[in-house]
Amino acid sequence: MIGRLMRKIMLHPLHPLQLVFGLLVWSGWFVLVYGGTGVICAVAPPPVDADMKTWVNALVLVLGALVGAFLLFNAWRCWKATPDYDVGKPDKRFLGRVAGGVYLVAAIASFGLALPALFLPPCV
């Protein structure tokens, strides 16, 4: 059931929009983290003595792991869907490999965006 739902929601791994979708997800995550942290620090800042052990940092870490795992999964999907060698369809090979690489870069950037939550308090 989940597999059918995923197939209906997600684009085919070799669809041309896969080239930009990873960076769109990452940019949305970037805006959510910095915008959300700014709003939380203005409205209801966590206690100063809590340092890094706040619910804001925990939320950033959990959501960062989820977004990064989603992007890694899509990188794997695009890379595996690429035909090994097909003379008639070189564009499919290009789309799959480049989209997989873009998803991989976006996943690394997503993990990197959540990493400061391990070392810094949310409202500096």
Side-chain angles (χ1 to χ4, degrees), residues 47-73:
V48 177
D49 60 343
D51 206 27
M52 285 100 41
K53 298 175 183 88
T54 63
W55 65 271
V56 178
N57 281 12
L59 185 65
V60 167
L61 287 172
V62 168
L63 290 177
L66 290 174
V67 169
F70 173 73
L71 291 168
L72 281 177
F73 170 72

Side-chain angles (χ1 to χ4, degrees), residues 1 19 35 51 55 60-62 70 79 87 91 102 112-113 122 124:
M1 175 155 166
L19 293 173
D51 206 27
W55 65 271
V60 167
L61 287 172
V62 168
F70 173 73
W79 197 269
V87 177
D91 58 330
V102 169
L113 187 61
V124 178

Side-chain angles (χ1 to χ4, degrees), residues 53-118:
K53 298 175 183 88
T54 63
W55 65 271
V56 178
N57 281 12
L59 185 65
V60 167
L61 287 172
V62 168
L63 290 177
L66 290 174
V67 169
F70 173 73
L71 291 168
L72 281 177
F73 170 72
N74 280 314
W76 175 80
R77 269 182 74 227
C78 290
W79 197 269
K80 293 302 272 183
T82 303
D84 285 333
Y85 182 74
D86 192 356
V87 177
K89 299 186 184 208
D91 58 330
K92 298 297 182 190
R93 181 175 171 81
F94 172 80
L95 283 172
R97 299 295 169 146
V98 172
V102 169
Y103 274 117
L104 183 62
V105 168
I108 292 168
S110 295
F111 289 131
L113 187 61
L115 194 61
L118 291 174

